[in-house]
Every structure is written in structure tokens, then in C-alpha cells.
Amino acid sequence: MAEPSSTTQELPERPKGEEEGEKGEGEKGPSKGALKKAAKEKEKAEKAAKRKAEEAAQKAASEASDVSKADYGDLPMIGSHPYVPNADSATRIQLASLAQEEGDISGKEVTFRAIVENARNQAAKLSFVVFRQGISTIQGVVAASETLSRQMVKFAGGIPAESVVLVHAVVEKPKEAVKSTTIQHLEVHVKQLFVIAKADAQLPMQVEDAERPLPGEGEEQTENEGRPIVTLNTRLNNRVIDLRGKHNHAIFTIKDGVTLLFQEFLRTRGFLNTNTPCLLGAPSEGGANVFEVTYFASRAFLAQSPQLYKQMLIAARFERVMEVGPIFRAENSNTARHLTEFTGLDLEMAFEEDYHEVVSLLEELMLYIFTGLRERYKLETDLVRSIYHVEDFKLPAAGSVPRLTFPEGIAMLRADGVEIGDFDDLSTPDEKHLGRLVLEKYGSDFYVLDQYPLAIRPFYTMPSSATQAAYNPSSPNAGYSNSYDFFMRGQEIMSGAQRIHDAGFLEKRMREHVTPVDPNSDGLRDYVNAFRYGCPPHAGGGIGLERIVMLWLGLPNVRLASLFPRDPGRLVP
């Protein structure tokens, strides 16, 4: 039998910590510290909920009293809702046309889509927004009144730069000229303001940084107005933002203008626009500096020039042809004036008696382009030159373009201390040096150098008559040729020549050239055969579009004249 319990029996020991209100071993439940922490979290959540409710109430009250609530805000994404025509769609204006209106247009109501170049809250009742279209900018004023709320003023001043907006406003005349915009004699007082597409608040680079000048080749980068220079590499890596700069829009407007003027002039002279292949089955000019690509199960090559096809078209009885298209050169040149892909302005024409007929036409063409840029694109030219300070391009009078023979150019360089051989090709420093001498002597930034040494020209170049008369089989590349280069500010922009139009003579020159080529090779056989069927004498040239733009505007690097430049180290974006 079990013994009865005794009052004197020792009680079991109380678990440690129970006196402090903690649970004993084996018991479940939160500790006192955990309960205290939970209480704090609950209090914090209640305060946050209360604050959120208060903010929501304030917002609701603010919206209820916002007289402008229907006049500003973010629009739904265009395309996400059925399209309903607006009454103002047909009346939207362009800022450039607004600036050209004559007379007092104060009070005129306007609607336009624009980019926010910058926005700032000047005070609780006043914000300023600079709107931009293309290269035109205008100041917008958002001022609180009985019909325009402070909420709208605050909204306007907080729109991120580069956002796309729709603006309804009234044109007014400012008390004094607005010097920070291109349209300085007008401003717009905003009545409605809607965001069509909001830009990120943090951009990888600022557009205003893209509008600061880059240093020239060989110059060191320094700070500009206390801000670090954004390098060319950074700009090209973020090219979409970089291209938003007003000067970039001007550059590519001018580039388009050069193409327009080129075609405009030549069309009036009976030239036909053509499009020749860029994919070739074999290298066509000796195989050097050519890009090879995969073409199904075989190889193909990117055209270095439309040269051979232009000549074949002359043989096909298209006696005056032109072309604007891409040129590919696999040259590992990392200079400020070389690209691996650029745009060529090419032409070829049959002549009557002498190749200088073509040289004269080319001179007229270039003067037409330069004069057209000066007269039609002055605004864009002045804008870019305000960043890249360069003297105005000095033009000769029509019919008086300096045309030097190669020996005359060499003589000028030697007279100024340059050591150079009679038949040496000109280096870039030599070309620039000669350009300075020509400018000093003739007062022209544009000139022609004629009769280049035969040895430094392509195999299809016609030797000069004197060279042919003095032909020596032991030295077949001695003498000069009927070839020429055109220069702007001492840099080459065009290379051209009379081409050999006799198949037998062409084959001979191909075999004895400094770098011989096989006239029966896959890339040249059809070209040579084209001249077996009777071809008129002809000449032409290839002009580098980006170089014209670079040298006209004084840009420090040809990459600035290419939308998405390609060079030995760049294939993206």
C-alpha cells in the first residue's frame, strides 16, 4: 500500500524564472519581452494607419477643393483605350511656326505636344516649365489663380525632365526677353497640362551634359562651368539621350540637308539615282580592308564602295548616275575622322573630251552644297557653331575654286619647310598644313588637288597622258594619273578620277599595279567584261557625307556626325 501523503513532505522545486512571470520549462506562450515588442509594433501600425487615413482624408479634401483637378495629371497610355478624336487635334501648333508669327499674338490660345526640358517650383503659387520641340524652346508659366490651383502648380514643377506632355496655354509677351530659351519674345501661360509619357527621374546622363562641347583630338578633358565633361564614349553608350541635345538635332538636320542638296543639284544635271549591292560574292578591290560575312552556306563581303557598279552602269548606257548609301571599310583606324561604316555620296558620269569636265561639275556641286547650307541651314549651323567655336567656312567665288596639281601642292609644302618626296602620299598633318597654306594664299577653305601619283591610286585609275607617253615596263607605276581629291579645311572629303574604260588596258593595269589583282577573279571578271562591249570615257568620285558635316560645323570627331557610329571598337547601340 502506498503511504499517505504527509504535510511535512518536501514540495517540488519551482521552475527557475517563474517568479519573474516567465513560463516554466515545457510550457508554451510569448515571453514578457516578446509581448512588449508586439505591443510596440501594434502601436506603430496603428499610428501609420492613422497617418495614412489622415493623408487620404487631406488628399480627398484637397481634390474636392481643387478647381484644376480636371486640368492636369497623367494621361492613360495612348493605345490602351479606344481612340476618341479631340476637338483640339487639328489645331495643335509647332513652336517653330509660333515664333515666326508676325504682329502681337498675345492672348492666342494654343495646344501643343512638347518635351519638358526642365521644371521648377518657384513658389507655392508659381512654377516655370521650359517646353521643347526640336530645337525650339519656350518658357511656360504656371501661376495659381481663382481658376488654377496650387496643386496644379506643384504638379507642374515636379514633372521629371524629358517627360512628354500635352499643353493647353495662352500666348503672352513676357515683361523682358527670356534669354534661356530660343523663343525669347513670347511665353505661354499654361491652362492645362497633361503628362503623356513620364521619364525616369534618374537618367544615366543629362541632356544638358550632351550639349557641352567635347575636346578636340589630342586635347585634354577639363571641367566645364564646374561640371565634369561627359566623355564621348559615355555619350555614345547612351546615344538616345545624347541625341536629344538641340545641337544634335541641328547636326542631323544639316546632314539631311547635304544629301538633299547633293541630289537636288545632280538631278538638274540629268543624273539618275541608283542603288547598287552592298553584299558581294568576292572582294572587288583587291581584298584589303573588307568585311567578310556568312551568307547561307558560303561567304560574302560588304562593299567598300559602289565604284565598280557605277562604272558598269556607265557601260550599260546609264551615262550619269548617283547613289547615296552605306560604305564599309575594315580599317583598324581609331582616329577622329575614320569610321568603319559611313555614308557615301557617289556619282559617275560619261564625259565628252576631258575628265576635267567632271572635275568642274564636282566643283559646282560642292559650291552648291556649301551655299545651300549657308542660306537654308543658317539657324542650325549657328547653333552648333555656338558650341564648337569655329570660323565661318570661307568659300571661293564660283569658277575660281583653287585647283592645284599635286606637284604644285608639294612645292607649297616644301617652301614652308615640309620635307616630302615628289611622289609621297600626303599624311593627315600634310593635308592640314597644305589647307592652311591654301587658305592663306587663296582665301578659301575649299580646294582641289589634281593629278595624283599613279602608284598611290586604285588599279582602275587612268594614267595621265604624259605618264602613258613616258611608259616604262620596268617601272609601270611611275608618273601621275588623272585623279583628284577635294578638301575642306585641309582634310579630304572626296576622292575621284577618270576610270579606265578600255578592257585590254584595264587588264594590263590590274596586273602591273603596285598591288596586282587578277582580272579573271570572281569579284572582277564581270566588271572587266563590261568594258568589252564599248564604254564611253567616264569619271566620278565618292564623297564622305559625315566628313562634310564634321568639317562644315567644326566638330571635333566624325562620330558626332553619325547617328549610331561604327568604328573598330563599337558595334552597339
Side-chain angles (χ1 to χ4, degrees):
M1 279 184 72
E3 294 183 4
S5 60
S6 171
T7 57
T8 61
Q9 186 178 355
E10 188 176 348
L11 295 175
E13 185 178 357
R14 179 181 293 177
K16 186 177 180 181
E18 192 172 321
E19 292 183 76
E20 289 81 16
E22 296 179 5
K23 298 293 182 180
E25 185 177 345
E27 296 186 40
K28 296 182 178 179
S31 66
K32 183 177 180 181
L35 289 172
K36 188 175 181 181
K37 182 178 180 181
K40 287 183 178 179
E41 291 293 336
K42 181 181 179 182
E43 182 181 2
K44 184 178 179 181
E46 289 174 346
K47 287 183 179 179
K50 182 179 179 181
R51 184 168 59 252
K52 187 174 181 180
E54 289 174 349
E55 290 174 352
Q58 289 175 359
K59 183 178 179 181
S62 176
E63 290 177 350
S65 63
D66 186 352
V67 296
S68 301
K69 61 184 177 181
D71 296 329
Y72 69 95
D74 297 334
L75 291 178
M77 183 176 64
I78 292 179
S80 63
H81 293 271
Y83 169 65
V84 179
N86 292 316
D88 62 19
S89 297
T91 60
R92 294 192 185 188
I93 59 110
Q94 293 295 308
L95 296 180
S97 62
L98 181 67
Q100 295 170 359
E101 291 199 31
E102 298 179 356
D104 186 3
I105 60 172
S106 297
K108 179 177 180 177
E109 295 185 0
V110 294
T111 300
F112 58 91
R113 177 171 55 80
I115 306 301
V116 172
E117 190 166 89
N118 62 68
R120 70 183 191 280
N121 290 312
Q122 188 73 8
K125 294 185 177 182
L126 180 65
S127 290
F128 290 103
V129 185
V130 174
F131 299 113
R132 173 186 163 194
Q133 284 180 349
I135 64 173
S136 300
T137 55
I138 194 168
Q139 176 174 273
V141 179
V142 189
S145 65
E146 292 182 357
T147 58
L148 196 152
S149 66
R150 289 191 180 191
Q151 294 95 318
M152 182 172 171
V153 172
K154 182 179 179 181
F155 171 83
I159 298 175
E162 295 302 305
S163 296
V164 183
V165 295
L166 178 64
V167 185
H168 300 262
V170 175
V171 179
E172 298 292 352
K173 195 171 184 178
K175 294 181 180 179
E176 54 186 49
V178 183
K179 296 181 179 179
S180 61
T181 57
T182 63
I183 302 173
Q184 301 184 352
H185 65 293
L186 299 172
E187 63 184 12
V188 290
H189 288 210
V190 176
K191 301 304 178 186
Q192 293 182 315
L193 182 60
F194 301 101
V195 175
I196 297 173
K198 184 176 290 185
D200 289 346
Q202 295 295 325
L203 300 175
M205 60 177 282
Q206 299 301 313
V207 174
E208 62 181 1
D209 289 331
E211 294 180 333
R212 291 183 168 85
L214 285 166
E217 191 173 24
E219 297 178 356
E220 292 186 4
Q221 293 188 335
T222 57
E223 288 191 353
N224 190 322
E225 299 176 357
R227 298 175 65 96
I229 293 289
V230 178
T231 66
L232 176 61
N233 195 51
T234 298
R235 294 188 187 189
L236 296 181
N237 286 342
N238 300 280
R239 190 60 163 157
V240 170
I241 296 176
D242 181 49
L243 286 173
R244 292 179 177 183
K246 290 187 289 294
H247 73 293
N248 272 326
H249 281 244
I251 288 171
F252 292 101
T253 298
I254 288 169
K255 186 176 183 180
D256 177 63
V258 174
T259 302
L260 170 69
L261 294 163
F262 171 81
Q263 294 182 324
E264 190 174 88
F265 175 87
L266 293 178
R267 287 184 190 280
T268 65
R269 300 302 194 278
F271 281 76
L272 179 72
N273 188 55
T274 60
N275 302 101
T276 59
C278 288
L279 281 172
L280 308 179
S284 59
E285 297 188 34
N289 303 325
V290 63
F291 286 112
E292 180 180 328
V293 297
T294 300
Y295 191 74
F296 301 107
S298 61
R299 299 183 305 164
F301 303 87
L302 297 180
Q304 298 166 272
S305 159
Q307 178 58 51
L308 305 191
Y309 287 102
K310 287 189 303 178
Q311 290 185 251
M312 293 166 74
L313 288 172
I314 298 294
R317 304 298 183 250
F318 294 90
E319 293 205 350
R320 294 191 171 200
V321 295
M322 63 177 169
E323 179 169 0
V324 178
I327 305 293
F328 303 93
R329 298 283 171 84
E331 297 176 0
N332 194 14
S333 298
N334 293 280
T335 73
R337 65 181 208 148
H338 285 93
L339 294 169
T340 53
E341 179 184 351
F342 59 92
T343 305
L345 305 178
D346 278 87
L347 64 91
E348 202 76 20
M349 65 175 276
F351 60 81
E352 298 294 331
E353 297 176 327
D354 183 78
Y355 78 97
H356 286 108
E357 297 168 28
V358 182
V359 177
S360 295
L361 181 137
L362 285 165
E363 290 173 352
E364 290 180 48
L365 166 65
M366 296 311 303
L367 290 179
Y368 185 85
I369 291 174
F370 297 146
T371 302
L373 292 177
R374 179 174 287 175
E375 294 176 352
R376 303 188 206 178
Y377 298 90
K378 184 179 186 304
L379 177 64
E380 290 83 1
T381 296
D382 289 346
L383 173 60
V384 180
R385 288 182 182 171
S386 71
I387 298 174
Y388 295 104
H389 304 289
V390 64
E391 292 186 10
D392 191 27
F393 193 82
K394 295 177 176 58
L395 288 176
S400 60
V401 175
R403 189 189 296 177
L404 312 174
T405 65
F406 193 84
E408 288 173 336
I410 294 295
M412 289 179 67
L413 287 170
R414 284 177 177 165
D416 206 53
V418 178
E419 294 183 4
I420 187 169
D422 289 345
F423 297 96
D424 289 350
D425 197 2
L426 299 181
S427 65
T428 298
D430 291 338
E431 289 180 351
K432 292 181 178 179
H433 193 150
L434 183 56
R436 291 192 294 270
L437 297 177
V438 170
L439 176 61
E440 182 181 333
K441 183 174 181 178
Y442 298 99
S444 174
D445 277 315
F446 170 58
Y447 76 97
V448 179
L449 196 58
D450 191 18
Q451 292 277 303
Y452 267 75
L454 181 62
I456 62 175
R457 303 303 273 202
F459 62 79
Y460 45 71
T461 306
M462 180 69 77
S464 68
S465 57
T467 295
Q468 292 186 56
Y471 175 74
N472 182 347
S474 65
S475 185
N477 296 294
Y480 297 95
S481 63
N482 293 349
S483 63
Y484 40 85
D485 281 359
F486 283 33
F487 293 84
M488 289 176 65
R489 301 190 195 272
Q491 295 195 55
E492 176 210 328
I493 57 162
M494 192 207 77
S495 184
Q498 178 184 351
R499 327 299 186 179
I500 298 173
H501 59 281
D502 178 87
F505 188 46
L506 177 60
E507 287 179 314
K508 182 174 182 294
R509 283 296 307 148
M510 293 170 81
R511 291 191 173 98
E512 66 185 13
H513 193 260
V514 174
T515 54
V517 292
D518 181 5
N520 294 313
S521 64
D522 290 341
L524 296 169
R525 186 185 309 109
D526 293 326
Y527 164 72
V528 175
N529 286 340
F531 304 110
R532 300 190 192 282
Y533 319 126
C535 180
H538 56 280
I543 305 168
L545 175 56
E546 286 81 3
R547 282 202 188 170
I548 292 180
V549 175
M550 175 183 75
L551 295 167
W552 175 258
L553 295 172
L555 303 178
N557 196 300
V558 72
R559 290 160 182 78
L560 297 174
S562 176
L563 284 170
F564 299 97
R566 295 292 179 257
D567 59 35
R570 180 171 294 278
L571 273 173
V572 294

